[in-house]
Amino acid sequence: MNRRVPKKIAFIGSSSIYGRGDTELGGFVQRIRFRFEPLNPKNLVYALGIFGENVVSLTQRVSLELSVRRPHLIGLYPGFNDICRIGGAEAQNTVTLDFFRQAMLELLQASNSIAPSFVITGIPFDEQRTTPYRDSDSYFFRKDAQLYSQVVREVAFNEGVPVLDFESLWCALEIIPLLSEDGLHANPAGHQLLCEQTWDFISRNYL
């Protein structure tokens, strides 16, 4: 089957796309850029990460930022900001599961209207350091992350959108050596592994 090989790849999402936790090379997307762009003078990789991004604002950014960049392939990273419980461990998630499901549908449809897209699930994190997160009143629980990641998979499956499932790829790993000091984001070694897994996924499916 003939397929168009992408030359412009855009990754858009929250702080992991920005490269949080990678103090050496700026994150797994930046590492993909170092690998992909030298292959062809026309190759470009965009790392469009914003701290604290949620699915609703991500959908808005997809329409605004990607329509002008016109990528050939889009990697969507919803992240975990929607699962955050603010004010205490028993507080409600920032975004309800039903709202998140509908927002994910709108995100995937908006992205697919611009270019072929895939969605990325978040990595497992160290709950001992995220409940609370950095001595704040924000709490991130693994059970919430697993539940919302499952919604990401379900919506993507229904829309025919491929999933780069970091949660599944990392579930059998010893994650502590791969996480930064905040327990939520990958460290340089973790970002390198994310880079390798992303490169393998893109190579198998699009190159």
Side-chain angles (χ1 to χ4, degrees):
M1 181 178 67
N2 292 327
R3 60 187 180 189
R4 183 182 182 185
V5 175
K7 289 186 170 57
K8 291 194 293 183
I9 304 175
F11 292 85
I12 188 166
S14 55
S15 52
S16 289
I17 298 299
Y18 177 84
R20 184 67 176 263
D22 186 352
T23 55
E24 295 178 358
L25 291 176
F28 79 96
V29 176
Q30 185 76 338
R31 292 168 185 255
I32 289 288
R33 181 185 178 192
F34 294 151
R35 179 173 292 194
F36 182 65
E37 290 190 355
L39 298 179
N40 188 308
K42 294 184 179 180
N43 285 358
L44 291 172
V45 174
Y46 298 108
L48 306 174
I50 290 182
F51 290 95
E53 185 76 281
N54 59 35
V55 172
V56 171
S57 60
L58 180 55
T59 302
Q60 297 169 345
R61 285 212 296 132
V62 162
S63 299
L64 291 172
E65 297 184 31
L66 298 187
S67 59
V68 294
R69 288 179 171 86
R70 302 179 66 180
H72 305 132
L73 179 64
I74 300 169
L76 300 164
Y77 180 73
F80 289 139
N81 292 302
D82 294 283
I83 75 169
C84 184
R85 296 173 184 259
I86 300 175
E90 302 302 319
Q92 297 296 312
N93 300 108
T94 304
V95 172
T96 67
L97 198 62
D98 287 341
F99 188 93
F100 181 78
R101 186 184 301 274
Q102 181 60 34
M104 276 301 308
L105 176 61
E106 294 173 5
L107 171 63
L108 298 187
Q109 291 177 342
S111 184
N112 262 337
S113 70
I114 297 171
S117 304
F118 63 93
V119 66
I120 305 167
T121 61
I123 62 173
F125 49 81
D126 180 13
E127 196 172 86
Q128 291 187 353
R129 287 182 281 175
T130 63
T131 56
Y133 178 67
R134 289 184 174 274
D135 298 320
S136 69
D137 63 349
S138 297
Y139 291 74
F140 295 86
F141 288 98
R142 288 281 295 270
K143 64 180 182 180
D144 294 333
Q146 292 164 355
L147 186 61
Y148 280 60
S149 291
Q150 183 57 32
V151 168
V152 170
R153 295 186 194 95
E154 291 171 1
V155 176
F157 177 81
N158 291 336
E159 291 298 303
V161 173
V163 178
L164 173 51
D165 197 350
F166 285 147
E167 183 185 61
S168 295
L169 289 170
W170 282 45
C171 67
L173 300 178
E174 173 54 54
I175 63 169
I176 300 304
L178 300 172
L179 296 177
S180 66
E181 53 83 24
D182 70 1
L184 187 62
H185 299 91
N187 62 18
H191 275 281
Q192 180 58 33
L193 179 57
L194 295 175
C195 171
E196 297 293 341
Q197 292 169 331
T198 304
W199 181 257
D200 179 66
F201 176 86
I202 292 175
S203 297
R204 285 188 288 107
N205 291 285
Y206 302 103
L207 300 183

